[in-house]
Amino acid sequence: MLHLSIKMKDLPEAERPYEKLELYGEKSLTNAELLAIIIKTGTKDETSVQVAQHVLNLNKTGKDTLEFLGDISIQEFMKINGIR
């Protein structure tokens, strides 16, 4: 199976979380982009934003906040490829 990996450096600067933060401020970032900054690196096949999206998929509250992160166990986080 052929995997095409996307690298952050291949994205336009305005779409990279660190650059977007510098250019437009933290309010311009999505929750996935905020988490991607914390995660720092992705995997061979996924960017840190994509890994962050997997973390966000653990949110069962229905709220668009990051408060749910405090209720997620380490074991649940560790099931996500790219989280160590």
Side-chain angles (χ1 to χ4, degrees):
M1 173 182 264
L2 177 65
H3 289 282
L4 298 176
S5 61
I6 300 169
K7 295 184 180 359
M8 282 291 188
K9 66 181 180 180
D10 296 334
L11 294 174
E13 277 193 27
E15 291 182 31
R16 298 180 207 163
Y18 288 100
E19 288 82 351
K20 190 173 176 181
L21 176 63
E22 274 189 28
L23 290 170
Y24 307 112
E26 71 278 353
K27 292 186 190 280
S28 70
L29 298 175
T30 65
N31 285 342
E33 291 167 332
L34 287 169
L35 284 175
I37 289 172
I38 295 167
I39 292 169
K40 289 191 118 185
T41 60
T43 67
K44 180 181 162 209
D45 296 318
E46 295 185 307
T47 66
S48 57
V49 175
Q50 291 168 313
V51 173
Q53 190 58 56
H54 294 300
V55 172
L56 291 175
N57 289 339
L58 297 174
N59 183 358
K60 306 299 181 215
T61 68
K63 297 177 186 173
D64 189 27
T65 69
L66 298 177
E67 291 177 20
F68 77 97
L69 293 173
D71 297 327
I72 303 300
S73 71
I74 295 295
Q75 292 78 14
E76 287 177 279
F77 279 119
M78 297 294 288
K79 290 179 185 175
I80 298 171
N81 190 24
I83 302 292
R84 298 185 208 180

